[in-house]
Amino acid sequence: MGWFNYFKQSKPTSAKVAKERLQIVIAHERLDRNGPEYLPQLRRDIMEVIRKYVPISDEQVNVQFEKGADFDVLELNIALPDRDH
Amino acid sequence: MSRIVVVTSGKGGVGKTTTSAAFATGLAMRGYKTAVIDFDVGLRNLDLIMGCERRVVYDFVNVINNEASLNQALIRDKHVENLHILPASQTRDKDALTPEGVGRVMDDLHELGFDFIVCDSPAGIERGAHMAMYYADDAIVVTNPEVSSVRDSDRILGLLQSKTHRAERGESVREHLLITRYSPARVQAGEMLAMEDILEILAVPLIGVIPESQSVLQASNSGAPVILDKVSDAGQAYDDFVRRFLGETVPHRFLEVEKKGFFKKLFG
């Protein structure tokens, strides 16, 4: 193979794709397991409501649940689509 | 107290039984009195990997049900001293395992003076896997450099942190990551998740990397744990892993592609 590999660099390797996919799915699953039981359903409901107004994909909604000493924080981060579209 | 170590993974076929057999053999080789228990009720296989399948008379479930004594059921290993195998039942269903029954066997093994109890977990996250991890002090999480295995390992880590006796008491199970079937050449080619990537995702201390090796199949064919094959790369990697588990500082090996010769470098 040798220097032929040079031409392949433009495409991410399958290992890199695997890593990125894992990071996303595991982050979601950890959230569900550390947060309250209603969290997965809550996320689905929120998605549904937002989709009534803007088309968004699953990755554009980030629900974070953090346990604090006195109170827990539910953080909602929604990336809306580009304005041009 | 005996130190209880579960070998677990979530996913099947990643090398739990191969690892349990090699690990228990390695501990016994170093003089520790070790018991290795097959928790895969209904699908026993540790006996085959350890080469004692024809000497199974009583099993783990017989002991739990008081149909046999622990001494009757424990099989003395033929390769090394200080090593005993407690086979799984081939006929019962997994509901035979109860926290009380398993706890009693653990206490009895402690009474018999065992230093280590290695629990070979079945695949999945059901009763057998839960019981295998329940009393663990340490967990060896066996992971292949492959997406489904890494994901399942993360799932198992979640269970170790919530569904074990230690977790219930507000303590934690010590977690160790063991990567098996690793192929440095494929990692270099970008076809396989690198050890560093898996560590970054799972965030568990690494205790060993076992290279993909033909010697593992040969070992299981002959019923002699691969750690006894001292010339094989996998055997040596398992030996390094056991030493690390016992607190030695041992550098990781078999992580790089073997150096090519001059001609291969030019034309390879």
Side-chain angles (χ1 to χ4, degrees):
Chain A
M1 303 268 270
W3 53 271
F4 280 110
N5 281 337
Y6 176 79
F7 296 103
K8 292 189 194 158
Q9 296 303 312
S10 53
K11 220 168 106 188
T13 63
S14 69
K16 194 158 188 287
V17 175
K19 185 185 179 184
E20 285 167 5
R21 291 175 60 217
L22 272 172
Q23 281 174 320
I24 292 167
V25 71
I26 286 180
H28 272 107
E29 286 174 355
R30 279 184 189 161
L31 208 65
D32 292 346
R33 118 181 145 218
N34 296 334
E37 268 175 40
Y38 60 73
L39 205 60
Q41 186 59 45
L42 175 69
R43 188 198 289 127
R44 280 191 289 274
D45 289 350
I46 289 171
M47 298 282 301
E48 215 167 285
V49 172
I50 295 168
R51 280 196 186 124
K52 278 187 188 171
Y53 304 91
V54 232
I56 49 160
S57 64
D58 283 14
E59 297 92 73
Q60 286 169 291
V61 175
N62 186 15
V63 184
Q64 293 275 4
F65 183 86
E66 266 176 54
K67 277 195 156 57
D70 300 327
F71 51 85
D72 301 338
V73 177
L74 182 70
E75 189 184 306
L76 199 58
N77 205 330
I78 304 158
L80 294 177
D82 293 346
R83 251 163 289 172
D84 321 339
H85 298 292
Chain B
M1 259 329 259
S2 317
R3 193 160 159 197
I4 303 173
V5 188
V6 61
V7 176
T8 183
S9 71
K11 191 176 182 302
V14 298
K16 282 181 299 294
T17 302
T18 298
T19 297
S20 299
F23 181 47
T25 302
L27 291 170
M29 272 166 22
R30 283 175 172 75
Y32 295 101
K33 190 171 178 184
T34 305
V36 55
I37 307 178
D38 190 348
F39 275 77
D40 205 345
V41 174
L43 289 170
R44 118 174 134 215
N45 274 319
L46 180 69
D47 55 335
L48 266 182
I49 302 300
M50 303 284 299
C52 64
E53 69 277 8
R54 284 155 57 100
R55 290 189 287 145
V56 175
V57 182
Y58 295 108
D59 59 57
F60 192 19
V61 174
N62 289 139
V63 178
I64 287 178
N65 292 345
N66 292 315
E67 294 154 358
S69 74
L70 190 51
N71 266 319
Q72 284 177 306
L74 283 173
I75 303 171
R76 186 183 288 271
D77 185 68
K78 64 180 176 192
H79 304 286
V80 292
E81 270 183 66
N82 305 315
L83 180 57
H84 297 261
I85 300 129
L86 187 53
S89 163
Q90 188 68 306
T91 51
R92 315 294 183 98
D93 69 300
K94 53 190 185 298
D95 294 337
L97 298 181
T98 58
E100 299 73 31
V102 174
R104 194 164 43 76
V105 173
M106 296 294 168
D107 288 343
D108 291 350
L109 286 169
H110 170 64
E111 290 294 316
L112 290 174
F114 280 92
D115 298 305
F116 287 101
I117 302 169
V118 178
C119 303
D120 181 22
S121 173
I125 52 172
E126 291 183 26
R127 193 177 196 98
H130 184 206
M131 284 300 105
M133 70 167 68
Y134 189 67
Y135 292 103
D137 301 304
D138 293 76
I140 310 291
V141 179
V142 182
T143 305
N144 287 172
E146 181 271 326
V147 284
S148 52
S149 175
V150 175
R151 180 202 214 167
D152 290 357
S153 291
D154 192 70
R155 201 64 206 287
I156 283 292
L157 288 165
L159 296 177
L160 285 166
Q161 290 154 13
S162 59
K163 302 278 187 221
T164 53
H165 193 46
R166 276 183 168 247
E168 286 169 3
R169 287 177 300 172
E171 299 168 3
S172 60
V173 177
R174 280 182 295 267
E175 300 159 349
H176 315 268
L177 180 67
L178 182 74
I179 301 174
T180 55
R181 308 199 68 168
Y182 196 70
S183 173
R186 300 198 76 182
V187 170
Q188 197 178 61
E191 299 170 1
M192 182 179 271
L193 283 164
M195 173 267 282
E196 294 85 353
D197 295 337
I198 301 171
L199 280 182
E200 187 185 328
I201 293 166
L202 294 178
V204 173
L206 182 73
I207 194 147
V209 179
I210 312 297
E212 171 79 58
S213 169
Q214 299 184 348
S215 54
V216 173
L217 182 59
Q218 283 171 1
S220 79
N221 284 343
S222 57
V226 67
I227 197 167
L228 296 170
D229 183 354
K230 294 192 166 75
V231 292
S232 73
D233 45 2
Q236 291 175 26
Y238 270 118
D239 201 63
D240 288 357
F241 145 63
V242 174
R243 287 167 58 195
R244 280 186 212 105
F245 184 82
L246 292 170
E248 284 182 53
T249 306
V250 184
H252 289 280
R253 297 191 275 170
F254 315 110
L255 293 178
E256 303 295 330
V257 180
E258 277 181 50
K259 291 274 189 298
K260 288 177 177 178
F262 177 70
F263 282 99
K264 276 195 172 168
K265 257 186 195 162
L266 263 189
F267 304 109

